[in-house]
Amino acid sequence: ASAVIELGLIDPAKMPGIWREIGSHDAPLEQFGSVCVRRELLTGYQWERLRNGYRNGFFYGRTKVLYQAGAGSFARVYRAIAQDNEEILAVKVLRKRFSSDEIKGELFLREGRMGLMLRHPGIVRIEEVGKEGVSSFITMEFVEGQTLRELVKIRKGLDLTCALDLAVQLIDALVYAHGEGVTHRDLKASNVLVSSKGQAKLVDFGLASFTESKSKKADEIGKLRTVEYAALEAAGGVRGDDVRSDVFFLGSLLYLIFSGRSPFSESRDRAVRADPKRYTDFEPLGRMAPHLPRDLVDVVNKMLSIKPKHRFQNVLAVQEALNPIHL
């Protein structure tokens, strides 16, 4: 009871009501927690953390954590509430084991700083980048929905109108980012969120390359890329921040959107993902989705050319090619 007040989790004015319901200050721990959760003064996540002895990880910046919404090997994501206006936000927190890893820490904070620069409906809005103790965090808008990968898997493919709408949104967002001098460098279905209202949003600019980078350290970080990008660029003989690489992997997202499956076989094997043949030996889109208009298939096929000079040279050209297509 003292801890929830000291930590700022429960308003002291709410405590008398809790004690009245319990009937005694000398109550079992679990009864106290049960009442607090039932009265919605604590979330189940907050209570579990408290009863296990934790006294941190409840607040990041101006937000209060409600519960864990997702986790990866690099960071955890929490649903949180802004203390000033009660807006629901997401907080991404770098795992503590990486707090002393300079490169991973810089990549994480870089994702946040890149996001602060970008303001577009098709890019997840970053609100705050900072540290609480040794924990680095990024506060961003909370998207109620799922990743593009999950959406396609659940629906077993999308109808043509919905698919084209998502494609147009992604292209528009990337046109904006490239116009700001930022290439994404990690375009994949799990880095696209689709809200419950059908709005597509790009996330995770941690590997993004910024053309106006000044410092040597920032420049070296900016040249980092995924195994997939490295394999593609090695095969095409281009440098590590070529916008045409984003064009190619955007094409792979459009292939997924329009056909219901990725052009590339999924694999955790680094050797498989690093093999350039993976990016040439896939079923043609026209054969996978024979119902698609020929001009639409031609646009995606051109985006997926292994030779950079045969692709669209930028995303704006992709946008202009799709504009005349009517379904």
Side-chain angles (χ1 to χ4, degrees), residues 114-127:
M114 284 287 184
L116 287 172
M117 292 166 44
L118 302 172
R119 284 292 181 263
H120 186 276
I123 297 174
V124 168
R125 185 183 77 255
I126 302 296
E127 293 283 341

Side-chain angles (χ1 to χ4, degrees), residues 110-120 123 170-187 202-213 222 229 239-247 314-315:
R110 197 170 184 277
E111 174 191 345
R113 292 194 293 268
M114 284 287 184
L116 287 172
M117 292 166 44
L118 302 172
R119 284 292 181 263
H120 186 276
I123 297 174
L170 289 177
I171 291 167
D172 189 52
L174 210 55
V175 165
Y176 165 80
H178 285 189
E180 295 296 307
V182 178
T183 50
H184 191 282
R185 315 295 301 133
D186 192 15
L187 288 174
L202 291 174
V203 295
D204 199 350
F205 280 79
L207 292 176
S209 177
F210 184 43
T211 56
E212 295 181 8
S213 174
Y229 270 74
R239 70 183 196 278
D241 61 348
D242 196 299
V243 297
R244 294 172 296 182
S245 299
D246 270 359
V247 170
N314 51 60
V315 185

Side-chain angles (χ1 to χ4, degrees), residues 189-263:
S190 57
N191 280 342
V192 176
L193 300 181
V194 182
S195 75
S196 54
K197 295 181 179 179
Q199 186 167 21
K201 290 178 178 284
L202 291 174
V203 295
D204 199 350
F205 280 79
L207 292 176
S209 177
F210 184 43
T211 56
E212 295 181 8
S213 174
K214 300 295 183 186
S215 74
K216 183 177 179 182
K217 179 181 175 183
D219 187 56
E220 289 304 308
I221 295 262
K223 289 178 181 176
L224 295 175
R225 58 216 198 268
T226 63
V227 172
E228 290 82 358
Y229 270 74
L232 176 73
E233 289 167 345
V238 297
R239 70 183 196 278
D241 61 348
D242 196 299
V243 297
R244 294 172 296 182
S245 299
D246 270 359
V247 170
F248 180 91
F249 285 103
L250 175 62
S252 72
L253 293 179
L254 300 194
Y255 186 109
L256 171 68
I257 288 169
F258 289 118
S259 72
R261 58 172 282 186
S262 171

